[in-house]
């Protein structure tokens, strides 16, 4: 403000008093802001009837300094929901999940342990773990698998994820059973049980059909999804649900043209393997997002679609740039030491936690560098 003549002199004379009044006004503003914050906390506590279960000593997740303010996690972003094409935290800000999927739980149960999840969270900066439970194949939930043992592994995985401050995806991993309707009754029963158990869990997401394939069309997937979503919603009214799309979860454009209505917090999955799926599939994803479809990459690899073959770093880079640009969440396949390119551990690594640099495959090294943003591969004492 520019003052001239008398006005300026008057201002000079009254400077101390003006300054004093200004300070008082600022102090009042600051104090009323604090009161409003306290009020908000109280309201939050009232709504749940308790201060916040996450804050009791027993359930409080460890806080990792490297992570603080860095990536979204259940302790900071809370329960997730979907707004437009975006996955968002409790306060409405967009959240991008990045992490890793287990291999088939029945085949590689050992990696479901708290130390392993803790290392992925703390050192790898993952904020999500996907628990892949095959439904068919040998040991599958709907074929000859031990259902109780598989559900117990999921419960343990979900508990470790909570303790280690990770989101967790419960994945109904259809594959050789190309059409999810083949095991519709089993899926409904399974998700009824899971959603009843995790109705109040902020960190759990449901993936209801990994990869429909074998010519299964969107209308068949959609009708399956509507049934299963109905069951989940009767227990868990707002948990995020991931729906597979035709052709091994690639044809998101078909879902975009005819999305499921009547439910909130749904996302549609797109899977890619960078050495096989390139510009074409990126185009499908972009078009679906532009059409308003919330897309979630719940599985990807940087090798070819068999889960093996050579790594294509250049294509992987292009995928990651696009995912980051659009804020799309992504989960890498897979947490195991199987002799295949996509496994992040070398077959020689017999450990199920405490991984060191020499334990990692090329895919493991790449994932570590990608998640941490560090050029150097893992360095653990
Ligand atoms: C692959 C595993 C492999 C296993 C095979 C069949 O990497 O060890 O023998 O399944 O069970 C997918 C599937 C995922 C596949 C993966 C690689 O979702 O189950 O895992 N892939 O083929 N879609 C595209 C690729």
């Amino acid at each position: 403000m520019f003052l001239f003549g008398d006005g300026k002199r008057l201002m000079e004379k009254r400077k101390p008093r003006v300054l004093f009044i200004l300070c008082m006004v600022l102090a009042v503003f600051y104090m009323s802001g604090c009161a409003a914050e306290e009020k908000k906390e109280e309201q939050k506590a009232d709504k749940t009837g308790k201060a916040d279960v996450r804050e009791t000593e027993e359930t409080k997740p460890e806080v990792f300094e490297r992570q603080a303010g860095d990536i979204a996690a259940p302790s900071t972003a809370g329960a997730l929901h979907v707004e437009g094409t975006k996955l968002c935290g409790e306060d409405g800000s967009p959240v991008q999940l990045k992490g890793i999927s287990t291999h088939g739980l029945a085949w590689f149960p050992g990696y479901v342990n708290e130390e392993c999840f803790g290392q992925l969270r703390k050192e790898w900066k993952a904020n999500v773990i996907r628990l892949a439970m095959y439904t068919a194949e040998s040991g599958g939930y709907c074929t000859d698998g031990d259902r109780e043992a598989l559900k117990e592994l999921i419960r343990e995985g979900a508990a470790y994820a909570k303790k280690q401050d990770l989101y967790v995806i419960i994945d109904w991993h259809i594959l050789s059973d190309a059409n999810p309707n083949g095991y519709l009754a089993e899926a409904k029963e399974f998700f009824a049980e899971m959603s009843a158990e995790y109705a109040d869990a902020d960190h759990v997401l449901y993936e209801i059909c990994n990869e429909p394939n074998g010519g299964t069309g969107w209308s068949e997937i959609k009708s399956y999804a509507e049934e299963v979503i109905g069951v989940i919603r009767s227990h868990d009214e707002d948990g995020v649900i991931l729906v597979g799309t035709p052709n091994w979860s690639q044809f998101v454009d078909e879902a975009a043209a005819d999305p499921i209505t009547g439910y909130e917090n749904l996302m549609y999955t797109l899977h890619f393997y960078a050495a096989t799926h390139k510009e074409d599939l990126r185009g499908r994803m972009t078009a679906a997002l532009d059409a308003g479809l919330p897309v979630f990459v719940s599985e990807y690899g940087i090798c070819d679609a068999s889960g093996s073959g050579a790594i294509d770093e250049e294509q992987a880079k292009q995928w990651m740039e696009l995912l980051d640009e659009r804020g799309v969440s992504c989960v890498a396949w897979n947490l195991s030491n199987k002799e295949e390119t996509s496994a992040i551990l070398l077959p020689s690594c017999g450990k199920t936690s405490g991984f060191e640099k020499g334990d990692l495959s090329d895919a493991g090294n790449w994932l570590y560098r990608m998640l941490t943003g560090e050029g150097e591969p893992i360095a653990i004492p």
Side-chain angles (χ1 to χ4, degrees):
M1 197 193 333
F2 296 101
L3 295 168
F4 301 97
D6 283 346
K8 196 171 176 186
R9 268 194 303 278
L10 202 68
M11 211 37 204
E12 296 289 57
K13 229 169 79 191
R14 292 190 178 160
K15 214 179 199 170
R17 204 185 311 164
V18 170
L19 272 176
F20 174 72
I21 292 170
L22 205 66
C23 287
M24 291 302 285
V25 168
L26 282 175
V28 168
F29 255 112
Y30 175 71
M31 276 154 64
S32 62
C34 290
E37 278 307 309
E38 273 166 29
K39 186 98 199 134
K40 258 196 261 168
E41 283 308 312
E42 269 167 36
Q43 279 166 355
K44 218 163 90 187
D46 280 345
K47 227 171 75 185
T48 56
K50 43 195 174 235
D52 186 343
V53 271
R54 279 172 290 142
E55 262 148 45
T56 65
E57 234 359 91
E58 218 177 303
T59 56
K60 192 167 135 198
E62 273 184 60
V63 176
F64 310 117
E65 275 182 17
R66 280 180 71 193
Q67 300 290 338
D70 210 354
I71 58 164
S75 66
T76 54
L80 302 173
H81 67 278
V82 180
E83 281 180 38
T85 61
K86 295 257 194 293
L87 186 62
C88 296
E90 246 162 42
D91 69 357
S93 44
V95 160
Q96 188 183 21
L97 301 184
K98 283 186 180 175
I100 187 159
S101 175
T102 66
H103 202 292
L105 286 179
W107 305 324
F108 294 94
Y111 299 100
V112 180
N113 70 76
E114 194 178 340
E115 294 72 25
C116 176
F117 285 19
Q119 185 180 15
L120 291 169
R121 175 70 175 79
K122 282 181 257 194
E123 290 164 6
W124 293 56
K125 295 197 173 193
N127 58 357
V128 64
I129 297 274
R130 178 186 192 232
L131 302 172
M133 187 186 70
Y134 281 86
T135 48
E137 299 22 74
S138 82
Y141 187 86
C142 302
T143 47
D144 59 347
D146 180 339
R147 291 189 183 186
E148 289 314 311
L150 286 166
K151 279 188 288 200
E152 207 37 50
L153 263 176
I154 290 179
R155 290 187 185 106
E156 284 170 17
Y160 299 145
K162 183 177 168 74
K163 277 204 81 188
Q164 294 300 327
D165 206 15
L166 287 152
Y167 289 99
V168 67
I169 301 171
I170 299 176
D171 165 33
W172 184 257
H173 201 87
I174 72 159
L175 191 61
S176 62
D177 45 340
N179 186 331
N181 290 295
Y183 292 121
L184 173 63
E186 289 83 347
K188 286 168 82 169
E189 208 183 312
F190 172 80
F191 282 109
E193 200 173 334
M194 291 296 138
S195 58
E197 281 180 40
Y198 296 112
D200 298 324
D202 286 353
H203 71 305
V204 173
L205 295 86
Y206 311 97
E207 181 170 0
I208 62 174
C209 50
N210 168 48
E211 291 183 355
N213 61 79
T216 307
W218 172 242
S219 61
E220 292 165 277
I221 301 168
K222 189 179 177 190
S223 103
Y224 162 86
E226 284 166 343
E227 296 247 2
V228 176
I229 293 165
V231 169
I232 294 175
R233 283 291 176 261
S234 68
H235 300 285
D236 181 342
E237 57 185 22
D238 52 11
V240 172
I241 301 174
L242 311 179
V243 183
T245 55
N247 203 54
W248 292 275
S249 288
Q250 290 168 29
F251 292 173
V252 278
D253 48 329
E254 293 185 13
D258 180 23
I260 297 163
T261 55
Y263 297 102
E264 299 198 322
N265 300 336
L266 306 183
M267 298 190 91
Y268 299 82
T269 63
L270 177 132
H271 291 178
F272 71 83
Y273 280 77
T276 306
H277 311 114
K278 306 178 181 179
E279 202 53 44
D280 257 18
L281 193 56
R282 284 195 287 275
R284 272 184 201 270
M285 185 178 89
T286 307
L289 286 167
D290 289 345
L293 195 79
V295 174
F296 191 114
V297 173
S298 56
E299 187 186 301
Y300 73 91
I302 57 170
C303 55
D304 71 35
S306 72
S308 248
I311 285 174
D312 190 331
E313 280 224 34
E314 178 47 36
Q315 285 296 323
K317 187 166 171 275
Q318 291 193 43
W319 273 106
M320 287 306 140
E321 280 168 5
L322 179 62
L323 297 177
D324 285 347
E325 188 188 310
R326 305 297 300 244
V328 175
S329 297
C330 56
V331 183
W333 183 260
N334 71 74
L335 173 54
S336 83
N337 67 345
K338 187 165 175 174
E339 193 150 11
E340 57 184 13
T341 314
S342 55
I344 64 159
L345 301 167
L346 290 170
S348 57
C349 171
K351 291 179 249 175
T352 54
S353 65
F355 311 119
E356 295 167 271
K357 179 180 170 184
D359 297 327
L360 302 186
S361 66
D362 289 347
N365 264 290
W366 179 90
L367 184 67
Y368 178 81
R369 282 186 277 119
M370 191 278 283
L371 290 174
T372 57
E374 288 171 21
E376 275 302 300
I378 201 155
I380 298 166

